[in-house]
Amino acid sequence: MAATRGTQMLTKAGVAFALHPYDYDPNAEKIGLAAAAALGLDPALMLKTLMVEVDGKPACCVIPAGDSLSMKKVAAAFGGKAAAMMPVPKAEKLTGYHVGGISPFGTQRPVPVVIEAAPCTAAKVWINAGQRGLLLSIAPADALRVLGAKAAPLTA
């Protein structure tokens, strides 16, 4: 399994993580839930990475795979007035990753990150490692620290 920019970033920062490859299904209706099912994970701890724009500025939200963003909560978490999903081509260009493999770690251009507060109390969460079909497990505190992120309510 080749290293991704995300795994390289974590290794360089000295953060402990484990890799979990799985069979990626490009036709899955909900990719994060399909990944959780493939690995037998609790969907509440399988986190998906969503790129957004808050007042026109790029930002990253990390939330449980089965949840939906509340744009009102997203705007508040980043101290803005309005939030919207980032268009796919823009998200792929900004992160350097393809949708289905976007990770908050090792993005082409660093952006502010907020992680949903609820799973941050768990011992471990699973997040995309920067490649379709590859997750990493990490302690939420380590993810928050290495990303310079904060935990806040983001879901509807």
Side-chain angles (χ1 to χ4, degrees):
M1 186 82 26
T4 66
R5 285 190 324 277
T7 61
Q8 290 168 345
M9 174 191 180
L10 292 170
T11 300
K12 190 175 174 188
V15 173
F17 65 94
L19 292 176
H20 306 276
Y22 69 97
D23 288 328
Y24 174 79
D25 178 2
N27 299 314
E29 193 177 323
K30 297 201 179 263
I31 293 167
L33 291 178
L39 291 170
L41 302 173
D42 178 349
L45 300 178
M46 170 63 235
L47 307 184
K48 61 184 175 183
T49 307
L50 300 172
M51 300 305 294
V52 296
E53 293 177 325
V54 179
D55 297 341
K57 294 186 180 110
C60 177
C61 296
V62 183
I63 67 170
D67 291 355
S68 300
L69 283 175
S70 158
M71 290 303 166
K72 191 174 181 178
K73 289 179 183 175
V74 170
F78 288 98
K81 289 182 172 48
M85 291 302 296
M86 185 180 287
V88 168
K90 192 171 181 180
E92 291 185 337
K93 185 176 182 194
L94 182 104
T95 63
Y97 295 126
H98 294 292
V99 166
I102 292 180
S103 175
F105 306 106
T107 55
Q108 206 83 321
R109 198 172 127 217
V111 299
V113 179
V114 173
I115 300 175
E116 171 62 36
C120 287
T121 59
K124 213 186 302 186
V125 293
W126 286 259
I127 303 174
N128 198 292
Q131 182 179 306
R132 292 173 177 165
L134 184 61
L135 299 177
L136 61 82
S137 57
I138 187 170
D142 287 339
L144 289 163
R145 183 175 44 78
V146 78
L147 291 167
K150 69 177 187 176
L154 295 170
T155 56

